[in-house]
């Protein structure tokens, strides 16, 4: 049993958001859906909450109204091994009106922040050669979606 579950507060587009997330991540699923009943703060029958899983991680979501908004101070990191994975998650999470951000970050169309990060980025930034790591950092700072081939070129530098 997972002991910590991220809880996401949506204004009124919970079904649309959860549908996007489970369509982008393989093996994702909706675990349960509950609806508001009579006398609730939302119309009876409206989705109140949903529990769903992405890559084995459980999330809970609430259709709570406009009281709270997402902020980039909290984001979800999607770890990738290949450029094809980076491209898949980047395109999928931006679908329908997301916003690209610097250094592998994006906001989906619901305002939730994600970081789509290949393992190659961590290896490049922690290269034991400070010059190589510095070139990788400078390359990353010029990117929105992380480009593994460009990181490799930056690591190699002009003389390698």
């Amino acid at each position: 049993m997972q002991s910590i579950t991220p809880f996401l507060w949506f204004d009124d587009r919970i079904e649309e958001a959860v549908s996007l997330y489970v369509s982008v991540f393989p093996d994702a699923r909706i675990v349960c859906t509950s609806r508001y009943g009579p006398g609730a703060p939302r119309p009876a029958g409206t989705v109140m909450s949903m529990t769903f899983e992405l890559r084995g991680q459980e999330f809970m979501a609430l259709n709570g109204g406009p009281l709270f908004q997402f902020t980039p101070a909290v984001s979800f990191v999607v770890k990738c091994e290949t450029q094809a994975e980076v491209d898949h998650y980047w395109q999928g999470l931006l679908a329908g009106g997301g916003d690209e951000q610097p250094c592998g970050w994006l906001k989906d169309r619901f305002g939730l922040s994600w970081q789509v990060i290949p393992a190659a980025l961590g290896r490049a930034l922690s290269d034991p050669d400070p010059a190589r790591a510095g070139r990788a950092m400078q390359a990353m700072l010029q990117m929105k979606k992380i480009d593994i081939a460009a990181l490799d070129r930056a690591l190699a530098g002009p003389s390698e």
Side-chain angles (χ1 to χ4, degrees):
M1 176 181 184
Q2 186 173 295
S3 62
I4 297 176
T5 301
F7 186 91
L8 306 173
W9 181 296
F10 290 89
D11 182 359
D12 65 356
R13 297 169 65 193
I14 187 174
E15 289 178 281
E16 185 183 345
V18 171
S19 292
L20 172 69
Y21 305 147
V22 299
S23 74
V24 170
F25 289 85
D27 300 324
R29 69 187 184 105
I30 296 171
V31 176
C32 67
T33 302
S34 64
R35 298 185 179 279
Y36 285 105
R42 297 281 188 153
T46 301
V47 171
M48 179 176 65
S49 66
M50 298 178 80
T51 301
F52 59 101
E53 288 182 5
L54 307 177
R55 287 187 169 176
Q57 171 71 48
E58 184 177 270
F59 292 80
M60 294 181 70
L62 175 71
N63 236 357
L67 186 61
F68 300 114
Q69 303 295 311
F70 293 124
T71 168
V74 174
S75 62
F76 295 107
V77 176
V78 181
K79 296 178 182 179
C80 302
E81 289 300 321
T82 67
Q83 189 67 51
E85 280 185 288
V86 170
D87 295 346
H88 167 79
Y89 291 112
W90 191 262
Q91 293 163 2
L93 292 167
L94 285 172
D99 184 33
E100 294 181 330
Q101 304 287 306
C103 305
W105 290 57
L106 65 86
K107 280 187 188 178
D108 66 29
R109 67 181 181 247
F110 310 102
L112 187 59
S113 292
W114 299 82
Q115 297 178 58
V116 182
I117 305 298
L121 179 61
R123 290 190 298 270
L125 295 177
S126 62
D127 193 282
D129 179 339
R132 287 170 50 93
R135 289 192 304 268
M137 173 64 78
Q138 291 307 307
M140 180 203 64
L141 291 172
Q142 303 305 311
M143 297 178 190
K144 290 195 176 187
K145 177 177 70 173
I146 302 299
D147 179 336
I148 296 172
L151 282 176
D152 290 342
R153 287 190 300 274
L155 279 172
S159 63
E160 291 183 22

